Amino acid sequence: SWPKCLPFAFQSPLVCVSKMGKRSRLRKKEHQNNSKPGGRDNRDNGWGAGYADIIKENKLFEAYYQELGLVPEGEFDQFMAAMREPLPATIRITGYKSHAKEILHCLKNKYFKEIQEVEIDGQKIEAPQPLSWYPDELAWHTNMSRKILRKSPLLEKFHQFLVSETESILDMCAAPGSKTAQLIEMLHSDMDVPFPEGFVIANDVDNKRCYLLVHQAKRLNSPCIMVVNHDASCIPRLQIDTEDGQKGTLFYDRILCDVPCSGDGTMRKNIDVWKKWTTSNSLHLHGLQIRIAVRGVEQLAVGGRMVYSTCSLNPIEDEAVIATLLEKSEGALELADASVDLPGLKWMPGITKWKLMTKEGQWYKDWSEVPVNRHTQIRPTMFPPTDTEKLANMKLERCMRILPHHQNTGGFFVAVLVKKAPMPWNRRFPKLRKEQSSSSLPQPEDSPRERGVGRKSVCMYSDSVLCSRPPPNKKMKRHGFKEDPFVFLTEDDPVFPPIESFYDLSPDFPKINVLTRTHEGKKRHLYMVSKELRNVMLNNSERMKVINTGVKVWSRNSDGEEFGCAFRLAQEGIYTLFPYIRSRMITVSVEDIKILLTQENPYLSKLEEDAHQQAKKMGMGSIVLKYRPDKSNPDGPQCPIELCGWRGKTSIRAFVPRNERFHYLRMLGVEVFRDKQGQGPREEEKEVKEEVKEGETENGNKDVSPKQELRGENRGDEHLKGDEREGGGENLTST
């Protein structure tokens, strides 16, 4: 959610003090003083005013970029003015779910209309506008700052909508994982295919950031994503079983190489970059950036594409790295012209001339000018190629540099590389599947039968932003949190027969793609991955450190056997499982869903007649609640919805986590929000919170029995009496 993203967008060095040293005591004293009448606002001092002392000025930065001439003539003042302005709040709607159109409709016709005439502190809030270059109006921006959004009572509903939906279908574009999420969406462009052939492997060198990647990716509930923890400059080469039964090397069809950088393009949100910026940052990172990019193209399939990107404007980290790659490749790589892909995006072409400046302000135009005592800091690859013909053939102008003042954005650099042939130093010869036969490429020298195989795979190489520390040792280190094992089930595992019978699974259900996270004891949760990811995992368990993969599809219930199956359906995996389930389904209407999501444990009779009759014929246990759009009712959701539920003895309930529950309620026109931030939820929201506690227990690995669920235990409804525990009262009202 939004607040969880903020610490990465605004990192204060003062927050890092962990012991009660002198600085901590001073801060505590200041905190106490600010709490007194007449003192500064306590909360502002924490987030907002904490940066008041940072002056947005850096003479070295201005001198450097003014001299380089990256900004068009006459625009430098606009460029600097934009850099000093806060980055506008930007919203991206997750594009691969059919729910996206419903959320877009809700935003445009409700929330945007409510705030377009609002005036706060003398500033008129502009109506949010779609980003002209982003397809299908799925990304929007506004002149509202994050601080205004968080604190203004007039924007409270809108803010809480954003916070809640960020857990389901909105991307606030501020945390690690935003680019990974877009790759997953592209993979799932056809929602009727539960297991796309491709997969995404997302990597980060920082163990803690890997878990942020996991958090972002889990919102999309994809069985085709794996998060791994490696130094990208020496990420291991992976092996897979090929279609002809041989062992092959995995080469990627697409790679996003989002390298660590000095981050001067993020000054609008990372305020401390203003005082920390120096040209030394780029000099220190240049070598690491090349090593990561080289490792990327080594693992790219012939015919594949690698996107190299930074949030830095510095040519030492941008064009210099690309020029080095192109020169090393000896024609194996070429820059693609990506200008037609996003016609509404404003960008500046890459440059072919640049020079280098030290932190002392000394300039060097060429390697020959660099004194010997600087050779450890400054390398020849940091300068443009001296051969004019070679430089022209590189077509560096195809690189794209986004400047903040052109479209009210951050600063960014991107280059798209196409692999035309094997790298000259590589002895393996990757190819895109189905595009080239193995006979069209020479066989590797070290193994006559081994060949590279593309698997419609995408790899994201990413290290920490603002990471100026040296890279780890080249040997793979298994550090950070210890992960539970990934154990695949066999087709004859005894767990399957009752599940197959209870849910009447179709014969083509891929049982071998089911895994658990324990070697011993009862299986608490069952997960699924695509067959391609299963192939990768089985062949590389000792090569890579997997942080997370798969989507949860079933959770164990205590005493569940008496209902015919010990495992109930998990909401996060329902869209993966649904195509294979042939029983335990109840078709529901919009009004049925409202009842199921706003009442504690409604009696079966509360459902409309059609759903009521279906439920009466069904035995107790886990169920699927299926909604299909009603074309005769254009006001209802125009997308299919599948919810997990439970059929009790006389009642029925939905097993949906809180964030998704609110998401579906908003799609149905039910308002859910707090009175004031920090003053607790309204009474009706308290009831909904209690109702969805079970949804939250899925993340806490709690094991709740059906008996407890039916009695209302672990749901916070002890205040209900007798039959009220079965029926419950309506908590929310439709607007």
Side-chain angles (χ1 to χ4, degrees):
S1 66
W2 190 310
K4 293 177 184 174
C5 297
L6 284 172
F8 269 84
F10 303 94
Q11 288 189 358
S12 169
L14 297 180
V15 178
C16 300
V17 179
S18 59
K19 293 185 179 180
M20 195 62 180
K22 182 177 180 182
R23 177 184 283 181
S24 296
R25 290 193 295 271
L26 289 173
R27 292 195 69 212
K28 183 177 180 182
K29 185 176 180 181
E30 183 182 2
H31 173 85
Q32 293 169 343
N33 291 338
N34 292 336
S35 302
K36 297 175 182 178
R40 289 181 294 176
D41 181 75
N42 190 32
R43 290 177 63 191
D44 278 347
N45 191 46
W47 281 113
Y51 288 108
D53 296 332
I54 296 180
I55 300 171
K56 296 180 181 179
E57 192 171 294
N58 188 308
K59 295 299 183 184
L60 192 68
F61 175 87
E62 292 189 45
Y64 182 67
Y65 281 112
Q66 200 156 22
E67 180 67 23
L68 284 181
L70 297 180
V71 181
E73 189 175 350
E75 296 183 15
F76 195 79
D77 288 344
Q78 293 173 258
F79 166 74
M80 290 305 302
M83 291 292 270
R84 292 185 175 99
E85 287 295 315
L87 200 63
T90 308
I91 308 160
R92 189 180 67 84
I93 302 172
T94 304
Y96 92 96
K97 287 184 179 178
S98 53
H99 301 174
K101 291 182 180 178
E102 299 297 322
I103 291 300
L104 178 60
H105 178 81
C106 184
L107 275 169
K108 291 171 68 174
N109 292 279
K110 179 174 175 57
Y111 293 99
F112 288 171
K113 284 185 177 179
E114 288 180 358
I115 64 175
Q116 60 186 359
E117 299 299 327
V118 172
E119 189 171 302
I120 298 173
D121 297 335
Q123 177 189 5
K124 186 176 180 181
I125 300 300
E126 297 174 3
Q129 298 294 322
L131 298 181
S132 60
W133 54 270
Y134 201 90
D136 303 323
E137 289 192 336
L138 290 180
W140 295 69
H141 70 103
T142 172
N143 68 334
M144 289 181 284
S145 70
R146 289 175 171 83
K147 180 179 177 181
I148 288 177
L149 266 172
R150 289 199 311 272
K151 294 190 175 181
S152 172
L154 297 174
L155 301 174
E156 184 184 343
K157 287 186 183 180
F158 182 46
H159 175 242
Q160 292 195 29
F161 169 84
L162 295 177
V163 170
S164 177
E165 290 296 330
T166 297
E167 288 295 316
S168 300
I169 199 167
L170 288 183
D171 185 350
M172 300 311 299
C173 312
S178 292
K179 301 181 189 71
T180 305
Q182 292 184 59
L183 295 176
I184 299 171
E185 291 166 34
M186 294 173 191
L187 205 60
H188 289 274
S189 57
D190 185 351
M191 278 297 291
D192 293 328
V193 179
F195 292 100
E197 288 187 355
F199 55 87
V200 175
I201 295 180
N203 176 71
D204 201 296
V205 70
D206 188 291
N207 186 261
K208 291 180 181 179
R209 281 173 58 93
C210 282
Y211 289 92
L212 289 169
L213 274 176
V214 170
H215 176 76
Q216 288 282 72
K218 273 196 169 184
R219 300 180 309 131
L220 302 176
N221 299 330
S222 170
C224 306
I225 170 71
M226 177 190 293
V227 177
V228 299
N229 180 204
H230 291 278
D231 171 10
S233 65
C234 54
I235 194 167
R237 191 184 296 275
L238 303 182
Q239 301 295 311
I240 55 172
D241 294 323
T242 63
E243 292 175 357
D244 59 5
Q246 303 294 322
K247 292 290 183 184
T249 302
L250 174 65
F251 290 93
Y252 301 97
D253 302 295
R254 300 288 185 268
I255 291 178
L256 172 57
C257 188
D258 190 46
V259 298
C261 64
S262 61
D264 57 24
T266 70
M267 282 180 164
R268 299 184 69 177
K269 64 176 182 178
N270 293 324
I271 314 297
D272 55 345
V273 177
W274 281 96
K275 64 179 182 180
K276 291 182 178 180
W277 188 91
T278 171
T279 53
S280 296
N281 297 341
S282 296
L283 304 183
H284 293 154
L285 288 166
H286 174 81
L288 174 61
Q289 291 162 342
I290 290 177
R291 293 197 299 276
I292 292 175
V294 165
R295 190 58 176 156
V297 295
E298 283 177 344
Q299 300 204 28
L300 186 66
V302 171
R305 286 186 164 207
M306 184 177 88
V307 171
Y308 175 88
S309 64
T310 75
C311 46
S312 169
L313 302 174
N314 200 324
I316 307 301
E317 304 175 61
D318 299 339
E319 284 91 346
V321 174
I322 297 299
T324 301
L325 271 182
L326 293 171
E327 189 163 15
K328 283 176 176 286
S329 77
E330 299 177 5
L333 299 174
E334 76 172 23
L335 272 170
D337 182 359
S339 58
V340 296
D341 295 331
L342 295 170
L345 180 66
K346 295 178 182 178
W347 53 277
M348 296 297 297
I351 60 176
T352 56
K353 293 182 180 179
W354 64 87
K355 49 188 178 178
L356 186 150
M357 184 175 72
T358 66
K359 64 180 180 180
E360 295 80 21
Q362 186 174 1
W363 289 94
Y364 298 111
K365 295 181 180 178
D366 187 81
W367 169 249
S368 61
E369 298 178 1
V370 181
V372 175
N373 65 342
R374 293 274 193 178
H375 282 189
T376 55
Q377 277 185 304
I378 301 171
R379 305 300 302 151
T381 53
M382 297 175 180
F383 296 93
T386 54
D387 187 323
T388 54
E389 183 179 354
K390 185 183 290 186
L391 184 61
N393 289 335
M394 288 181 177
K395 297 183 174 62
L396 291 179
E397 66 277 2
R398 290 181 174 177
C399 298
M400 307 167 76
R401 180 175 279 102
I402 290 99
L403 298 179
H405 66 295
H406 283 165
Q407 259 174 324
N408 199 13
T409 64
F412 202 67
F413 175 87
V414 62
V416 182
L417 292 157
V418 177
K419 191 170 183 178
K420 310 295 288 186
M423 303 307 292
W425 62 86
N426 247 359
R427 297 197 302 171
R428 287 176 171 82
F429 298 89
K431 65 181 180 62
L432 279 181
R433 186 172 55 162
K434 295 180 182 178
E435 291 189 11
Q436 291 175 302
S437 65
S438 59
S439 60
S440 65
L441 292 173
Q443 294 299 308
E445 298 172 11
D446 57 344
S447 174
R449 294 195 300 176
E450 183 180 38
R451 68 178 185 275
V453 179
R455 302 295 300 180
K456 287 190 178 178
S457 50
V458 179
C459 186
M460 178 173 178
Y461 291 167
S462 175
D463 285 353
S464 301
V465 176
L466 286 172
C467 168
S468 58
R469 62 186 182 279
N473 294 333
K474 297 301 178 212
K475 291 183 179 179
M476 186 174 75
K477 289 187 176 180
R478 296 184 179 272
H479 52 80
F481 298 102
K482 184 179 180 181
E483 292 298 322
D484 293 327
F486 295 88
V487 183
F488 282 95
L489 276 59
T490 59
E491 289 192 276
D492 59 355
D493 192 292
V495 78
F496 282 127
I499 290 177
E500 289 178 288
S501 173
F502 191 72
Y503 297 104
D504 189 18
L505 296 184
S506 58
D508 61 339
F509 175 71
K511 291 187 283 187
I512 60 172
N513 294 354
V514 178
L515 61 90
T516 185
R517 300 298 299 272
T518 179
H519 282 293
E520 301 173 355
K522 283 188 176 182
K523 302 173 180 68
R524 299 179 67 83
H525 303 294
L526 301 181
Y527 305 84
M528 288 194 77
V529 296
S530 64
K531 64 178 182 180
E532 288 81 10
L533 266 188
R534 178 181 183 273
N535 189 348
V536 172
M537 295 178 70
L538 289 177
N539 283 284
N540 301 278
S541 60
E542 297 303 315
R543 285 188 181 89
M544 59 183 184
K545 182 181 178 184
V546 178
I547 299 299
N548 193 273
T549 191
V551 60
K552 182 163 59 180
V553 289
W554 281 292
S555 290
R556 178 178 289 275
N557 283 59
S558 299
D559 305 320
E561 286 85 352
E562 68 180 275
F563 299 102
C565 183
F567 287 89
R568 68 171 177 83
L569 298 164
Q571 180 64 31
E572 60 196 76
I574 192 60
Y575 289 96
T576 297
L577 272 186
F578 181 76
Y580 303 101
I581 298 175
R582 299 186 297 186
S583 70
R584 309 293 303 170
M585 276 187 282
I586 298 177
T587 302
V588 292
S589 66
V590 168
E591 292 306 315
D592 291 331
I593 297 178
K594 286 182 181 179
I595 288 172
L596 289 163
L597 296 182
T598 61
Q599 295 191 16
E600 289 274 352
N601 233 3
Y603 287 117
L604 299 179
S605 58
K606 290 286 189 78
L607 300 177
E608 294 188 341
E609 183 61 23
D610 185 31
H612 183 203
Q613 292 302 319
Q614 295 176 64
K616 283 172 65 176
K617 297 175 183 177
M618 193 171 291
M620 296 173 66
S622 185
I623 57 173
V624 180
L625 302 162
K626 180 179 72 173
Y627 166 81
R628 290 298 175 264
D630 181 0
K631 293 183 179 179
S632 64
N633 179 21
D635 294 331
Q638 296 302 302
C639 63
I641 296 173
E642 283 99 36
L643 306 177
C644 292
W646 186 271
R647 195 320 195 166
K649 186 175 181 180
T650 59
S651 65
I652 192 168
R653 65 176 303 196
F655 272 129
V656 181
R658 178 176 59 181
N659 57 298
E660 290 193 49
R661 184 173 293 249
F662 292 175
H663 163 71
Y664 289 118
L665 285 172
R666 288 194 177 94
M667 286 174 60
L668 302 175
V670 178
E671 187 78 85
V672 184
F673 64 95
R674 302 169 188 265
D675 270 338
K676 286 186 179 180
Q677 195 171 9
Q679 292 188 8
R682 289 186 173 185
E683 285 305 311
E684 62 263 31
E685 191 184 358
K686 285 182 182 178
E687 298 293 329
V688 175
K689 278 190 169 183
E690 290 163 358
E691 163 66 8
V692 300
K693 279 184 180 178
E694 165 56 21
E696 294 175 321
T697 64
E698 289 190 355
N699 294 327
N701 292 331
K702 293 182 181 178
D703 194 9
V704 182
S705 72
K707 289 181 179 178
Q708 289 175 317
E709 292 160 358
L710 295 175
R711 289 198 305 265
E713 292 177 15
N714 289 343
R715 293 192 289 111
D717 58 358
E718 296 83 355
H719 60 283
L720 297 177
K721 298 178 182 178
D723 292 340
E724 289 179 333
R725 291 193 179 183
E726 284 285 348
E730 188 161 329
N731 303 320
L732 301 176
T733 56
S734 178
T735 58

